Amino acid sequence: MEIRPILSALLRNRTGPLLVALQVAITLAVLCNAAFIVQQRLAKMDRPSGYDEDNLVTLQVINFGRLPKEAGLAAIAADLGALRAMPGVVAASATASLPMSNAGFGWGFQRTADANDPTNTSASLMLADQYGLEAFGLQLESGRWFTPEEIGTAADFAEFGATLPATVVISRALADQLFPDGKALGATVYDSSTRAPATVIGIVERAQGYFVNNPGVERSAFYPVVIASGESLYYVIRTRPGERAAVQREVESALLAVDPRRILRDVRSFGEIRATAYQNDRAMTITLLTVIALLVAVTVLGVFGLMSFNVNRRRKQIGTRRALGARRSDVVRHFLLEGWIVTTAGAVIGVALAVGLSVWLVSTFDLPKLDWRYLPVGVLALWIVGQLAAYGPARRAAGIEPATATRSV
Amino acid sequence: MFAYHLRLALLSLRRTPVVSLLMIVAVGLGIGVCMTMLSVYALMAGDPIPEKSDVLYAVQLDNWSPDRPFGEPNEPPRSLTWRDSLALLERTPAGIPRTVTVGTGFVVEVPGAQDVRPEIVTARAASVDFFSMFQVPFIHGSAWSASHDADGAPVIVLSRALNERLFGGEDSVGRELRIGNDLLRVVGVIDHWQPTPRFYDLSVGAFADTDEAFVPIALFDRHQQDWGGVSGSINCWQAPPAEGVFHSECVFAQFWVELPDETAVADYRAFLDAYVNEQKKLGRFARPLNNRLSDVNTWLDVNEVVQDDNSVLLGLSFMFLAVCLLNTVGLLLAKFLGRAGDVGVRRALGASRTRVFGQHLVEVGLLGALGGLLGLALAWAGLLGVRRLYVDYERVAHLNAELVAIAVGLAIAAGLAAGLYPAWRICRIQPATSLKTQ
Amino acid sequence: MLQMKGISKVYRADVVQTSALRDFNLTVDEGEFVAVTGPSGSGKTTFLNIAGLLEAFDAGSYLLDGQDVSRLGDDARSRIRNEKIGFIFQGFNLIADLNVFDNVDVPLRYRGFRAAERAQRIQRALELVGLASRGKHLPSQLSGGQQQRVAIARALAGEPRFLLADEPTGNLDSVMARQVMELLEEINGRGTTIIMVTHDPELARRARRNVHMLDGQVTDFTEFEAAIRVRETRAAAGA
Ligand SMILES: Nc1ncnc2c1ncn2[C@@H]1O[C@H](COP(=O)(O)OP(=O)(O)OP(=O)(O)O)[C@@H](O)[C@H]1O
Ligand SMILES: [Mg+2]
């Protein structure tokens, strides 16, 4: 309605509004960028892993010294038998490392045996036995999982490295990367260091690898191998829905009953592994949300403070306006408009600042570029909170009696 | 005069409790958030061994694949192969302290003790200079003798905590421990020692606990197969041979030297180049010469100990502080100018401009001090939160005297930054105008 | 035009009650120029506030233009103020942050006129008070008399039928006071009803009708003078 006179009045006492506009500007810049980072982290944490996370229990077994090959294999078979006999257990499997655990083998695969094959692709390599598919709860998309006969055994990692298996199951993401033409199943892939070939016998829909912070986390491969030595031995146990907690409680005593002379470590649900894997992202998200909330609160206080101050300073003026025929709603509108102008001025500076901040984040920290849609949403959000903050003082202004015009000094 | 000004300031706080509270909260929040982020950042970016950080150097050699670098652009691996470590350990010129170290782990038992359960300990194989180079404090005994590095004598150094668990904290020098089939003799117990970040081996996290036991490198080498092997990251660019990673081009060992000055550094560079060139002749080190010597702080940078997230948060928290300060400036200005009339009267009654300025500066200082206190409390709470959010930062996220001093300084600076302008504005009020106008 | 019967107004503070108007009766006809005089605290401003719908009253009836205004809601009262009544304040009450043009514009904005119409009215009102060339000035850049003339222009711009002035010359020297008075007379000459509160007997005498107030009531002039004399004698006797 009357932007120009309000604007000129604001410009006449510009320090206060300018300070608030700057607050709004910085708030917008931080808000947009922080919200963008939060959204990305949430999306990252929200990625499905491909495992039946709700029903998995995992643990590590540490023997007192290294076991000979035959004894090691027998011990693992005995353990898996005991685990499968536990009530509530659906499947149990032995492996050498756990997905999403931030530790494991990074492996290279390529389509040919050439030394410099450009299709060389890194992936998380996991070792699995015939129970792996069921124990992890993986979804087989095509092909098949390993048969018991295919499971190779190795005394230790050194032996494993020297005798790689001839079959492999890979994740859809790895299949897409290696075979953009879509003909992965049945194809031969080569280990990029020894160039040993393996036939892709199955493709799982999804199986996240070891390092969730690695962009290639979706690319993974399973070799049908069990390592006997116990150098690095993990059991993965899948339970019936709702029985995970009970199995998790009982699993240690069940295994120690098989053989007490060893250490069982990190009996964890998959939820705990996930929580550890995404600890930094979760912390970053929570911290950023806290900062956003505090920032918006402080800015709301800033707008509120400025408007309250303006209302107090202009009591007589407001009374005069009322005496000259302003309705209460006119007065409310006047102050809301004033608040809006200040917020908008701040938002204009803020958009530039937000882009600048994003450029800095992109160039210094390799973060992705700010999605421009965050800017209008941020401006809208600040408009709304700005108006809410201005509403209280505006209402108070509307309560000023017209007689103030003649009475107050 | 100060007392009078202080009384006026207190009076003013009480007269406008809401606005005063808002200002204190704004300053407090700003400082609290900033301090929290700064504490985490400062400890991450902190110098773990300030007396020697510029003379200790981490060694990198580039034995990586001829086809591609370890990291872009042309970064050498961050650890060494076992064979290069042992070779450098032996051949580093006399008089230069040097150590090779690698993380491991094993199960220890106290022979004959019924009440002490065997336990798995995180251990470290090291050569003897480790203790003197890194200033490791001993409470009992000492490091093993230099000859044990080579002869592989079965000796062990315990951490204070492990000594407490295994031997109830008594002087256990001379006692024996069983690891696998070997009996190891305790030669020393070190006092609490926790360099933060744990610069000497960053491969399992920069804020990992220090190890619980230390064994000589030759002893560890002898038990490659039957102890726990390497704990830490092992990186390979080709599959290790059947004999295992200790005989491969896989890297996992840390190598440090102590070099007192520039010439020593230059000499050592030359030594490394000579070593690599010699190895090239044997068909290793296919890449161009790319050896690195990094002092402690450079090493922390190379390993990106300060995570990007923390830098981002620190930056954002300073922007947050800026918003809080702008807020406070606005409120102070409003408050001060709201009593322009009062000030006009004071000026008319003979208060000098400096007096008025002083009066308001005292008030600002009081607000800043209260805000700073609140900020300190909030930072303390914030760090509590950080410790809950990041398990790794358990030890990192603490307030110490230095940080409290920074907080106080920040509060004063913030208070002044926020208060100077309003105080200056108000002291320029003309005695006449304020009395005349309505 | 204006008809007040038995109006009373009581101010209640925490402990004290002040009866500002007691059984106040007054009728003003269309086109009159009424000067209201009376000692300080006699209720003149209170009367103006009620007449101008700035304040509610406690008892009595008030017909403005034949309309009973005692029951109107706040918005309706605002509208009457805006359309029918012009107000000139003792302290001018110009909005310091707005220039002369924008100050005169204030009531017109609330009236909802189009921009062209507003500009035209503002121009005319400023011409009437002889300040047409000062539109861009801020109140602080004008003399007291000029400020009051701006206030008058603001009151006139909406062409109200009814002008209320609370000591419009109170802050002015006698020359300026006379100028303002002449302006008011001119306006009255065009048919606008004016009620003016003043302390200045000379100005009051120039009005067509004088109303004297004492203790919240209308008295006639002689009674007023007699009361003063009685007080003075008492004071003299006491001394
Ligand atoms: N808001 C108020 N609260 C309490 N009492 C009030 C209030 N406003 C006015 N009064 C009292 O009402 C009485 C009439 O006041 P009013 O302002 O009408 O006097 P006045 O005739 O205009 O005096 P002056 O010539 O000094 O302006 C006075 O006694 C005054 O103290
Ligand atoms: Mg009065």
Side-chain angles (χ1 to χ4, degrees):
Chain A
M1 59 173 201
E2 38 181 339
I3 292 187
R4 195 190 46 79
I6 294 184
L7 199 62
S8 60
L10 281 173
L11 286 177
R12 202 140 293 126
N13 288 297
R14 59 180 94 71
T15 318
L18 191 69
L19 290 171
V20 173
L22 281 178
Q23 282 181 58
V24 171
I26 301 178
T27 303
L28 183 70
V30 174
L31 181 72
C32 290
N33 283 284
F36 180 59
I37 297 176
V38 164
Q39 184 271 331
Q40 293 206 309
R41 299 300 168 97
L42 288 178
K44 179 181 170 194
M45 288 190 277
D46 207 36
R47 294 176 304 190
S49 65
Y51 309 103
D52 183 16
E53 294 188 25
D54 292 343
N55 301 313
L56 291 189
V57 177
T58 65
L59 63 104
Q60 187 184 6
V61 179
I62 294 165
N63 297 316
F64 300 170
R66 196 164 287 195
L67 296 180
K69 187 166 175 178
E70 293 312 317
L73 291 175
I76 291 171
D79 283 344
L80 291 182
L83 290 173
R84 245 172 260 127
M86 286 179 69
V89 170
V90 175
S93 167
T95 181
S97 50
L98 293 175
M100 295 167 73
S101 64
N102 213 26
F105 311 94
W107 211 261
F109 287 101
Q110 55 195 43
R111 283 180 68 166
T112 68
D114 295 349
N116 286 317
D117 187 340
T119 63
N120 184 347
T121 302
S122 68
S124 291
L125 180 74
M126 297 186 245
L127 307 187
D129 55 19
Q130 64 267 40
Y131 315 109
L133 182 73
E134 225 199 326
F136 277 114
L138 292 165
Q139 295 298 317
L140 195 61
E141 192 185 283
S142 58
R144 60 177 179 82
W145 190 252
F146 309 113
T147 61
E149 298 72 46
E150 276 168 337
I151 307 300
T153 55
D156 51 24
F157 284 117
E159 188 183 325
F160 157 69
T163 56
L164 294 179
T167 53
V168 64
V169 171
I170 63 177
S171 69
R172 165 54 45 203
L174 179 57
D176 287 345
Q177 183 78 27
L178 280 172
F179 300 94
D181 49 6
K183 302 210 176 78
L185 190 65
T188 303
V189 294
Y190 296 83
D191 157 41
S192 60
S193 82
T194 62
R195 317 233 162 76
T199 308
V200 177
I201 60 158
I203 296 173
V204 289
E205 183 183 87
R206 176 174 278 115
Q208 285 192 334
Y210 300 112
F211 306 99
V212 296
N213 295 325
N214 188 322
V217 65
E218 301 289 346
R219 297 197 297 270
S220 54
F222 293 85
Y223 268 160
V225 174
V226 175
I227 306 280
S229 66
E231 275 175 279
S232 180
L233 175 61
Y234 292 85
Y235 291 141
V236 176
I237 305 149
R238 178 146 163 245
T239 70
R240 276 198 289 274
E243 305 200 38
R244 197 210 72 235
V247 170
Q248 192 172 349
R249 256 194 322 276
E250 302 298 328
V251 67
E252 263 183 280
S253 48
L255 285 174
L256 289 177
V258 178
D259 176 6
R261 270 193 60 81
R262 52 193 176 160
I263 291 176
L264 302 178
R265 241 198 355 185
D266 292 339
V267 179
R268 295 194 290 181
S269 68
F270 210 89
E272 292 168 68
I273 294 178
R274 169 174 279 273
T276 310
Y278 287 114
Q279 172 183 301
N280 284 358
D281 297 301
R282 188 170 150 269
M284 184 75 170
T285 306
I286 292 176
T287 313
L288 284 177
L289 287 177
T290 312
V291 169
I292 290 177
L294 291 176
L295 196 57
V296 171
V298 169
T299 304
V300 163
L301 288 183
V303 175
F304 176 83
L306 175 77
M307 299 310 290
S308 301
F309 170 66
N310 278 349
V311 168
N312 283 344
R313 196 171 54 94
R314 302 197 211 140
R315 291 185 67 80
K316 181 162 182 182
Q317 185 187 125
I318 297 161
T320 306
R321 282 179 184 275
R322 292 277 282 136
L324 294 176
R327 286 167 300 174
R328 290 213 161 97
S329 54
D330 291 325
V331 175
V332 170
R333 256 216 313 278
H334 180 105
F335 280 93
L336 287 184
L337 191 61
E338 196 170 301
W340 182 82
I341 291 173
V342 174
T343 325
T344 305
V348 171
I349 313 172
V351 166
L353 213 56
V355 172
L357 181 58
S358 168
V359 167
W360 177 66
L361 290 175
V362 170
S363 64
T364 317
F365 302 111
D366 273 350
L367 283 144
K369 204 169 119 243
L370 177 68
D371 182 345
W372 66 269
R373 282 170 301 185
Y374 278 71
L375 295 171
V377 174
V379 171
L380 196 68
L382 281 181
W383 269 339
I384 292 172
V385 294
Q387 291 292 284
L388 289 178
Y391 187 68
R395 277 299 301 271
R396 211 143 39 75
I400 290 173
E401 292 297 328
T404 314
T406 51
R407 295 283 185 208
S408 64
V409 277
Chain B
M1 211 58 205
F2 178 75
Y4 176 63
H5 284 165
L6 196 63
R7 219 182 64 218
L8 286 179
L10 283 170
L11 199 69
S12 155
L13 291 196
R14 247 180 296 139
R15 191 138 9 92
T16 53
V18 178
V19 176
S20 304
L21 198 70
L22 280 185
M23 287 188 279
I24 293 172
V25 168
V27 172
L29 275 177
I31 289 179
V33 167
C34 242
M35 279 309 300
T36 308
M37 303 304 168
L38 202 60
S39 308
V40 174
Y41 186 88
L43 283 161
M44 288 189 141
D47 188 338
I49 180 162
E51 305 84 19
K52 297 184 77 174
S53 55
D54 52 346
V55 295
L56 295 174
Y57 288 85
V59 175
Q60 285 171 280
L61 305 177
D62 197 345
N63 68 321
W64 215 243
S65 156
D67 306 332
R68 63 201 137 90
F70 173 82
E72 297 294 343
N74 198 29
E75 284 297 310
R78 292 181 190 163
S79 36
L80 302 191
T81 63
W82 191 236
R83 64 173 94 163
D84 291 324
S85 308
L86 294 185
L88 291 184
L89 183 65
E90 193 185 313
R91 295 208 231 157
T92 292
I96 296 179
R98 83 295 300 269
T99 186
V100 52
T101 179
V102 59
T104 180
F106 36 63
V107 177
V108 297
E109 295 170 90
V110 181
Q114 299 302 321
D115 49 339
V116 184
R117 286 250 325 140
E119 65 173 299
I120 177 149
V121 300
T122 58
R124 173 153 300 278
S127 58
V128 67
D129 288 350
F130 182 93
F131 300 99
S132 53
M133 282 170 75
F134 300 148
Q135 300 181 316
V136 183
F138 277 82
I139 37 176
H140 302 304
S142 64
W144 49 81
S145 71
S147 62
H148 292 340
D149 270 349
D151 65 20
V155 293
I156 188 166
V157 167
L158 304 182
S159 74
R160 183 183 186 136
L162 183 62
N163 187 49
E164 248 144 48
R165 290 204 302 278
L166 297 179
F167 298 111
E170 67 185 49
D171 181 352
S172 58
V173 172
R175 301 279 300 265
E176 288 191 316
L177 284 176
R178 181 189 300 285
I179 298 171
N181 299 321
D182 289 71
L183 282 176
L184 273 66
R185 184 168 49 83
V186 177
V187 293
V189 177
I190 67 168
D191 202 353
H192 175 75
W193 179 59
Q194 180 67 62
T196 306
R198 205 187 72 169
F199 66 98
Y200 61 78
D201 186 351
L202 298 165
S203 65
V204 288
F207 303 101
D209 288 315
T210 44
D211 311 272
E212 298 169 298
F214 300 82
V215 293
I217 213 79
L219 181 66
F220 172 69
D221 189 45
R222 182 143 30 90
H223 291 283
Q224 282 172 18
Q225 296 301 321
D226 55 329
W227 285 2
V230 175
S231 78
S233 60
I234 303 176
N235 289 289
C236 310
W237 56 273
Q238 55 175 206
E243 306 89 68
V245 290
F246 287 87
H247 308 272
S248 70
E249 289 293 334
C250 298
V251 295
F252 54 84
Q254 312 294 315
F255 194 87
W256 289 84
V257 284
E258 185 172 333
L259 304 169
D261 51 40
E262 285 303 315
T263 40
V265 172
D267 290 350
Y268 199 75
R269 266 185 221 287
F271 162 77
L272 288 178
D273 291 350
Y275 172 76
V276 171
N277 281 327
E278 176 204 295
Q279 293 293 311
K280 277 175 182 287
K281 291 197 189 104
L282 300 175
R284 299 182 60 221
F285 290 92
R287 301 183 65 74
L289 270 188
N290 189 18
N291 306 326
R292 305 269 171 99
L293 278 176
S294 312
D295 67 16
V296 172
N297 289 315
T298 314
W299 186 237
L300 296 176
D301 280 350
V302 168
N303 284 275
E304 289 163 12
V305 166
V306 178
Q307 288 171 10
D308 281 356
D309 278 7
N310 295 96
S311 308
V312 171
L313 284 177
L314 186 67
L316 294 188
S317 73
F318 272 101
M319 297 183 79
F320 178 69
L321 179 64
V323 169
C324 290
L325 290 188
L326 286 172
N327 190 305
T328 310
V329 176
L331 290 174
L332 272 178
L333 203 60
K335 187 177 169 177
F336 284 1
L337 293 183
R339 58 171 184 239
D342 282 14
V343 172
V345 172
R346 274 180 199 285
R347 295 273 282 126
L349 295 178
S352 70
R353 204 168 260 189
T354 17
R355 277 277 169 74
V356 172
F357 189 68
Q359 178 198 335
H360 289 89
L361 223 50
V362 168
E363 183 166 344
V364 169
L366 185 66
L367 284 171
L370 291 174
L373 278 181
L374 179 67
L376 213 54
L378 289 176
W380 179 80
L383 288 175
L384 219 63
V386 168
R387 284 208 291 278
R388 293 191 54 150
L389 285 180
Y390 299 87
V391 180
D392 300 352
Y393 296 0
E394 190 71 46
R395 211 177 23 255
V396 179
H398 282 284
L399 276 181
N400 56 28
E402 196 182 335
L403 286 171
V404 170
I406 296 177
V408 172
L410 200 62
I412 292 173
L416 284 181
L420 274 181
Y421 177 69
W424 178 75
R425 275 284 295 267
I426 189 75
C427 83
R428 285 187 351 142
I429 294 258
Q430 296 295 329
T433 50
S434 61
L435 290 183
K436 202 166 68 184
T437 55
Q438 356 109 15
Chain C
M1 175 86 219
L2 172 150
Q3 205 175 348
M4 285 183 172
K5 277 211 187 89
I7 298 278
S8 79
K9 172 76 186 174
V10 180
Y11 287 112
R12 291 180 184 82
D14 290 339
V15 269
V16 275
Q17 284 199 2
T18 318
S19 218
L21 290 182
R22 287 180 298 144
D23 190 24
F24 182 90
N25 297 300
L26 183 69
T27 303
V28 176
D29 290 331
E30 182 113 38
E32 273 195 289
F33 192 143
V34 182
V36 180
T37 53
S40 183
S42 57
K44 305 182 296 291
T45 299
T46 308
F47 155 66
L48 271 196
N49 279 352
I50 289 172
L53 306 186
L54 299 185
E55 262 175 341
F57 46 90
D58 297 311
S61 77
Y62 173 20
L63 300 184
L64 182 65
D65 248 357
Q67 185 185 14
D68 182 359
V69 295
S70 59
R71 290 228 161 62
L72 292 179
D74 192 82
D75 282 359
R77 294 159 69 90
S78 295
R79 217 172 114 187
I80 294 178
R81 284 202 295 271
N82 191 234
E83 290 175 2
K84 292 192 179 163
I85 302 172
F87 231 109
I88 303 167
F89 306 93
Q90 175 175 14
F92 318 149
N93 286 23
L94 295 181
I95 295 172
D97 297 333
L98 300 181
N99 64 25
V100 165
F101 185 94
D102 287 335
N103 260 290
V104 179
D105 194 24
V106 167
L108 303 182
R109 290 273 185 173
Y110 298 126
R111 190 83 166 261
F113 287 137
R114 302 249 304 280
E117 159 124 45
R118 293 202 316 265
Q120 205 185 342
R121 278 170 180 264
I122 294 166
Q123 197 54 33
R124 227 184 301 141
L126 285 177
E127 267 165 22
L128 189 66
V129 299
L131 289 171
S133 60
R134 304 292 181 116
K136 289 274 185 295
H137 284 63
L138 287 174
S140 58
Q141 295 162 336
L142 299 176
S143 76
Q146 287 169 328
Q147 289 187 38
Q148 188 61 303
R149 269 148 58 199
V150 174
I152 294 172
R154 183 171 69 182
L156 291 178
E159 292 177 355
R161 309 239 320 274
F162 199 32
L163 200 58
L164 300 176
D166 191 359
E167 300 186 29
T169 58
N171 281 341
L172 305 177
D173 65 37
S174 56
V175 180
M176 288 210 185
R178 215 166 309 125
Q179 282 179 8
V180 167
M181 190 61 197
E182 275 157 16
L183 188 57
L184 289 179
E185 280 167 347
E186 191 187 330
I187 292 159
N188 178 243
R190 298 174 185 202
T192 307
T193 312
I194 298 181
I195 300 179
M196 176 182 75
V197 167
T198 182
H199 271 125
D200 187 337
E202 192 190 327
L203 289 186
R205 239 171 277 131
R206 290 173 65 158
R208 289 202 208 139
R209 180 177 161 200
N210 281 10
V211 169
H212 311 284
M213 289 186 64
L214 188 61
D215 280 347
Q217 285 183 313
V218 178
T219 60
D220 72 37
F221 180 70
T222 42
E223 277 174 2
F224 165 65
E225 218 175 30
I228 294 284
R229 228 174 284 126
V230 171
R231 278 198 193 162
E232 279 170 356
T233 9
R234 276 193 198 145

